Amino acid sequence: MIYLDNAATTRALPAVAEKMTYMLTEQYGNPASVSIMGLEVDKEIRHASQILARGIHCKEEEVFFTSGGTEGDNWAIFGTAEGYQRHGKHFITTQIEHPAVKNPMKALEEKGCEVTWLSVDSKGHISLEELAAAIRPDTVLVSIILVNNETGVVQDGLAIGKLIKEKNPQTLFHVDAVQAFGKYPVDVEKMKIDLLTMSGHKIHGPKGVGMLYMRKGTKVKPFILGGGQQKGQRAGTENGPAVAALGVAAEEAFGHMQESISHVSALKKALAEGILAMPNTKINGDGLDEASPYVLNVTFEGLRSEVLLHDLESKGIIVSAGSACDSKKKVGSPVLMAMGMPFSEIEGAVRFSFSRYNTMEEIETCLLALEKSVPFLRKYNR
C-alpha cells in the first residue's frame, strides 16, 4: 500500500506504539494519585509538556492536553468568547478554515456574536490590509489557520501576529497549527500567538490526543468541568499513555524537522513535475517553493476526483479529494471555492500529502499509475 494521505492522518511510529503499550500495561497509574505509579505517570506527562513547549518556544505551564485539534479549536474559540465577553463580541477568521474553527464561529454568530470572514486571493492568502481594516476595539479573537490542510498554503504568521497587536494589543491571536506543528517552524513569541492547537495523529503520534497552548494570563474559560486536573483548566483524568506517546512523536518531529522538509520537498517536486507534464493539469494554491512541502493539491481537468481516487485505491495508492472531515460530503471544497476556482476545476481536485516515511519509489509508482489511468478515465468516466 502506498499512503499519500498523511494530511488526514499518519501511521504511528513504532516507538509511539511501544510507549503507549508500556504505559497501558506497566505504568498505568492515575497521575492525580500520590502513589509511586501515579507520580511516575505525572512525570511522563510533564516530560511530554516540556518537549512540546520547547518545540514552539513557550513555557511548560502554558501547555494543556486535549483530545485533539477539534477540541483545542473549540476550547480556544468558545473559551475566549466566554472569558472575554465583557471586552466585546467581535471575532475574525478566514473563509478557508478547517470545520473545527469554521463551525464554532458559525455557532457564535447564532449566539449573537459578530464574525468577520476574511477573503483569500487565488493562491489562498489573506490580505493584511483587509485584516487591518477588520480589527476593532471590540475584536476579541483572530483565528487563522497557519498551514491549510487542503492546499498547503502558508499564511505569514509573523506579519499577522505583529499586525494584530499593533492594531489592538488586547485582541488574542489563535492559530490552528494542526498541519504545521512539528513540520514547520513555529515560535509563539515571535509570532505573538496567544493560543495554538495541534493534533497528535498528524505527526505520527496517537489519535485522540492533542495540545492547546494558552499564553499565561489569558482568560480562556474551561468548558470541561469536574476535578482540578491540568491546573483547573480541563477536568478529567489525563490520558497518560497518549500524552507520553505524543511526547515521543513530537521529539522525533522536532529532531528531524529540517531533514523531513528536505525529503518531502523532493517527493512533492517530483510528483508535481510528473503530473504537470500531463495535459490539462494545474497546481491549486501556492507554488512548490511557497506552500507546505507536505501537501500538493492538483486539478485533473475533465475528470472527477472521486473516480480517480477509487482507481488509484484499486492499485494500492491512497490519496484524497481534500479535508478528511469534508470528504464524504458531495459538495465542492469550500477552500477552493473561496480561492475563486470554478466548479469544473474543483471537481477534479486531488490532494496528495506526504510524510518523511514516503519514498521516491512510491512517487514513481504513483506517477506511472496516473499516466495510465488519467487518459483512460477522462475518456470513459465523464
Side-chain angles (χ1 to χ4, degrees):
M1 186 72 70
I2 296 174
Y3 186 76
L4 297 175
D5 195 18
N6 291 278
T9 195
T10 58
R11 178 183 52 140
L13 297 172
V16 166
E18 289 172 10
K19 188 69 167 182
M20 281 202 75
T21 301
Y22 167 72
M23 295 293 293
L24 286 166
T25 60
E26 301 293 333
Q27 205 59 269
Y28 51 85
N30 188 319
S33 170
V34 295
S35 69
I36 293 175
M37 289 183 68
L39 293 173
E40 284 299 317
V41 177
D42 184 64
K43 182 179 177 181
E44 292 274 5
I45 291 172
R46 284 188 283 112
H47 179 60
S49 299
Q50 292 163 1
I51 293 169
L52 295 168
R54 284 198 302 268
I56 60 171
H57 305 278
C58 73
K59 302 178 180 67
E60 177 190 345
E61 59 266 29
E62 295 174 320
V63 170
F64 298 88
F65 293 105
T66 67
S67 63
T70 295
E71 183 194 332
D73 287 339
N74 275 254
W75 185 4
I77 293 166
F78 290 128
T80 299
E82 185 175 349
Y84 289 82
Q85 55 186 318
R86 293 185 179 180
H87 295 252
K89 293 187 176 182
H90 179 235
F91 296 77
I92 299 173
T93 191
T94 80
Q95 296 178 7
I96 60 167
E97 296 301 310
H98 188 277
V101 167
K102 184 178 294 184
N103 289 333
M105 287 292 186
K106 289 180 179 178
L108 287 185
E109 287 182 317
E110 294 173 359
K111 294 179 179 180
C113 294
E114 183 180 354
V115 179
T116 297
W117 300 86
L118 301 176
S119 62
V120 295
D121 61 21
S122 61
K123 299 293 186 182
H125 291 279
I126 69 164
S127 162
L128 292 179
E129 291 75 17
E130 184 181 2
L131 172 60
I135 297 173
R136 311 184 321 211
D138 64 335
T139 302
V140 174
L141 179 75
V142 176
S143 180
I144 295 178
I145 193 168
L146 186 56
V147 175
N148 187 266
N149 54 297
E150 291 192 37
T151 65
V153 66
V154 181
Q155 304 296 338
D156 190 342
L158 282 170
I160 292 170
K162 181 173 182 289
L163 174 60
I164 291 170
K165 298 306 179 181
E166 286 177 349
K167 291 289 293 185
N168 185 350
Q170 304 306 312
T171 298
L172 300 181
F173 181 24
H174 168 242
V175 165
D176 178 338
V178 167
Q179 297 293 340
F181 190 94
K183 302 177 181 179
Y184 180 86
V186 176
D187 187 322
V188 296
E189 289 301 320
K190 290 182 179 179
M191 294 180 173
K192 303 186 184 303
I193 297 170
D194 301 292
L195 299 155
L196 177 144
T197 46
M198 64 79 63
S199 186
H201 72 106
K202 308 294 187 178
I203 60 166
H204 304 281
K207 293 177 177 64
V209 66
M211 177 201 74
L212 172 65
Y213 152 73
M214 192 187 315
R215 185 180 295 279
K216 188 175 181 179
T218 57
K219 302 175 183 177
V220 177
K221 291 284 188 180
F223 68 94
I224 297 179
L225 305 176
Q229 293 90 346
Q230 297 205 59
K231 298 177 281 293
Q233 287 296 318
R234 185 183 186 271
T237 301
E238 293 97 324
N239 188 346
V243 169
L246 174 60
V248 172
E251 192 163 37
E252 281 286 314
F254 291 127
H256 297 89
M257 184 184 293
Q258 292 306 319
E259 173 190 341
S260 297
I261 288 173
S262 297
H263 177 66
V264 297
S265 294
L267 300 182
K268 178 178 177 178
K269 184 172 186 282
L271 183 59
E273 289 178 349
I275 290 174
L276 291 177
M278 304 176 194
N280 302 314
T281 56
K282 65 183 287 286
I283 293 177
N284 302 318
D286 256 336
L288 296 181
D289 295 330
E290 292 80 23
S292 166
Y294 289 88
V295 180
L296 174 66
N297 193 300
V298 180
T299 285
F300 295 86
E301 295 181 29
L303 181 61
R304 296 195 304 275
S305 58
E306 63 266 24
V307 174
L308 181 55
L309 261 59
H310 291 314
D311 181 83
L312 290 176
E313 187 172 5
S314 71
K315 296 176 172 64
I317 302 170
I318 306 299
V319 298
S320 81
S323 170
C325 299
D326 275 341
S327 60
K328 294 182 181 178
K329 300 176 183 177
K330 303 299 183 182
V331 295
S333 161
V335 172
L336 300 183
M337 290 173 65
M339 291 162 53
M341 288 177 54
F343 186 77
S344 59
E345 293 183 4
I346 293 174
E347 70 173 349
V350 174
R351 182 186 70 182
F352 302 86
S353 49
F354 316 98
S355 88
R356 63 183 181 272
Y357 301 106
N358 286 125
T359 66
M360 191 61 75
E361 289 75 20
E362 291 177 329
I363 299 302
E364 292 168 355
T365 300
C366 182
L367 277 172
L368 286 173
L370 289 168
E371 288 167 357
K372 291 179 180 179
S373 295
V374 170
F376 176 83
L377 295 174
R378 278 178 171 150
K379 184 176 180 179
Y380 293 104
N381 287 277
R382 286 299 290 170

